[in-house]
Amino acid sequence: MDPEITKRTILALLGKPPYEQHVNTINDYTLYLIISLWDYYYSTGDAAFVKLYWPRFKALYNFVLERLDADGQMVQRPGDWIFIDWSPMDKSGPLCAEQILLWKTALSMAKLAALCGEDTTVYSEQADELKRLIDERYWDEEKHAYIDCYTSGKRNVTRHANIFAILYDFADADRTKLLMQYVLENDEITQITTPYFKFFELCARCSMGDLVSAQQLIASYWGGMIRDGATSIWEQYDPNAKGAEHYAMYDTLYGCSLCHAWGGGPIYLLGRYCLGVYATDIGYKSFCVEPNPGSYREIHGIVPLPQGLVRVDYKDGNLQVFTNCDGGTLRVNGESYMLCAGKTLELAVNFT
């Protein structure tokens, strides 16, 4: 992550109060923006940036609250766009995926408020109440899944809310296992056709330790796009489409963007789960390197950190890890090894 590019992007999307519409009119994009501020801080440790723009983020969150319904749920108001994804889902009333995003946003606001020395109670209480409501109204015991919408009576299940429930640790361990079995591993549930939301699905799979299926999806989905002629990442890709059908979108024969940055998720996934690099403290003051080749016979790559980099190479049972940063720990097959800045740690490894 380039902190300067990230900060400029956050500020461009944030704008200035008073707020009169959601980011790009899309409710979920506003929520993602607030969540991203905590993610930015956790990755960089840049508290000064958060504190400088905290009043704007509070104003944006208050704008969100003003447009909720009487139950505290996010609903579509005039000028809003409840998007989530280009996928058939029941949006005839409050949408579960949107409420889980709102819950995650409230939790992020609580952590940001604590960082800025403010009381977190109101945000934590909002998150707790919303979680209670979501579990009460959207969980379907027979389907073993969260439904899209409870007001229509359709009890429709799509992947999106259930992916968020796994990825954001909304569901407990028992429900998470059910969601993997009855939703993510269920081919009868409509497949996602955007590389944008496919990324969230792959993240959910990887977080559950299912790296191999994520690698298979990268090969079949992004690889399928390449085999169908892509030289950049398309806004939408349906493997079942043929010829010019791939380029149709927005009710226009050639309306699909053929160079869409929202599909670059495998870059993150490979660094986080194959090379296995992730922060264990704010700003990578400490970090872990937990390589996992999965179905790959060899892996080679560099992951940039705020203060340096980590390089991981694995082939033929030989693992080499180099970092020029302090605070690193290598974890392999249940064993931990301290990484020394400026030195390469080499091990003979049999990944099981």
Side-chain angles (χ1 to χ4, degrees), residues 163 197-207 210 213-215 217-218 222 266 269 273:
I163 287 169
F197 217 93
K198 208 75 169 177
F199 165 71
F200 290 108
E201 179 175 1
L202 267 59
C203 280
R205 289 179 180 273
C206 289
S207 71
D210 189 9
S213 76
Q215 292 172 324
L217 278 169
I218 291 173
W222 278 264
L269 287 164
Y273 292 103

Side-chain angles (χ1 to χ4, degrees), residues 21-332:
Q21 69 175 39
H22 287 287
V23 175
N24 200 28
T25 76
I26 300 176
N27 301 43
D28 11 322
Y29 283 14
T30 296
L31 303 183
Y32 286 136
L33 181 61
I34 296 172
I35 294 168
S36 76
L37 183 63
W38 174 259
D39 290 342
Y40 168 78
Y41 168 68
Y42 190 83
S43 296
T44 65
D46 186 359
F49 178 81
V50 174
K51 292 177 180 179
L52 180 61
Y53 292 102
W54 173 236
R56 291 196 201 179
F57 276 90
K58 283 200 297 183
L60 181 61
Y61 185 71
N62 287 334
F63 166 77
V64 170
L65 297 182
E66 291 167 1
R67 298 171 76 82
L68 303 183
D69 69 7
D71 292 325
Q73 297 186 93
M74 178 165 277
V75 293
Q76 186 158 318
R77 302 295 188 186
D80 291 354
W81 180 3
I82 300 288
F83 172 54
I84 296 295
D85 188 25
W86 291 114
S87 184
M89 61 182 73
D90 184 3
K91 296 182 179 179
S92 57
L95 186 66
C96 184
E98 201 79 34
Q99 312 319 318
I100 295 178
L101 265 184
L102 180 59
W103 168 83
K104 177 68 172 178
T105 303
L107 291 182
S108 297
M109 287 294 292
K111 290 187 286 189
L112 291 164
L115 175 64
C116 294
E118 297 186 8
D119 184 26
T120 67
T121 305
V122 64
Y123 306 113
S124 298
E125 289 179 348
Q126 287 165 354
D128 290 344
E129 176 58 23
L130 192 54
K131 188 177 192 314
R132 183 200 62 76
L133 183 149
I134 294 168
D135 282 332
E136 177 185 290
R137 299 188 184 181
Y138 294 92
W139 177 254
D140 190 304
E141 198 64 45
E142 293 183 1
K143 295 177 182 289
H144 307 293
Y146 291 97
I147 59 172
D148 286 339
C149 176
Y150 62 88
T151 58
S152 67
K154 296 177 181 178
R155 314 298 289 180
N156 187 60
V157 174
T158 52
R159 295 174 180 266
H160 303 75
N162 297 287
I163 287 169
F164 281 157
I166 295 171
L167 187 59
Y168 292 143
D169 295 324
F170 181 85
D172 62 24
D174 291 336
R175 279 194 179 176
T176 295
K177 292 177 182 177
L178 292 173
L179 297 180
M180 287 293 294
Q181 178 181 353
Y182 289 94
V183 181
L184 268 65
E185 296 174 359
N186 184 357
D187 289 338
E188 294 183 2
I189 304 296
T190 302
Q191 293 292 335
I192 292 165
T193 60
T194 58
Y196 160 63
F197 217 93
K198 208 75 169 177
F199 165 71
F200 290 108
E201 179 175 1
L202 267 59
C203 280
R205 289 179 180 273
C206 289
S207 71
M208 292 294 291
D210 189 9
L211 175 60
V212 171
S213 76
Q215 292 172 324
Q216 292 169 342
L217 278 169
I218 291 173
S220 64
Y221 189 80
W222 278 264
M225 204 182 308
I226 292 171
R227 288 188 289 274
D228 279 328
T231 56
S232 56
I233 301 169
W234 296 344
E235 182 177 8
Q236 179 169 269
Y237 175 65
D238 183 351
N240 298 315
K242 304 295 182 184
E245 293 176 354
H246 286 300
Y247 313 131
M249 205 169 175
Y250 304 102
D251 296 322
T252 303
L253 181 58
Y254 296 103
C256 181
S257 164
L258 300 184
C259 187
H260 224 67
W262 73 356
I267 296 172
Y268 165 79
L269 287 164
L270 295 173
R272 169 61 182 84
Y273 292 103
C274 286
L275 303 180
V277 181
Y278 59 94
T280 54
D281 195 5
I282 302 295
Y284 284 83
K285 290 194 290 287
S286 66
F287 60 93
C288 185
V289 182
E290 197 167 357
N292 182 0
S295 61
Y296 299 156
R297 287 178 295 181
E298 58 185 271
I299 53 176
H300 307 276
I302 294 174
V303 177
L305 305 187
Q307 65 274 35
L309 59 85
V310 175
R311 185 176 66 239
V312 179
D313 295 282
Y314 172 75
K315 184 178 181 180
D316 298 331
N318 180 259
L319 174 67
Q320 295 182 351
V321 179
F322 169 83
T323 180
N324 55 3
C325 305
D326 293 317
T329 300
L330 172 65
R331 292 179 185 164
V332 180

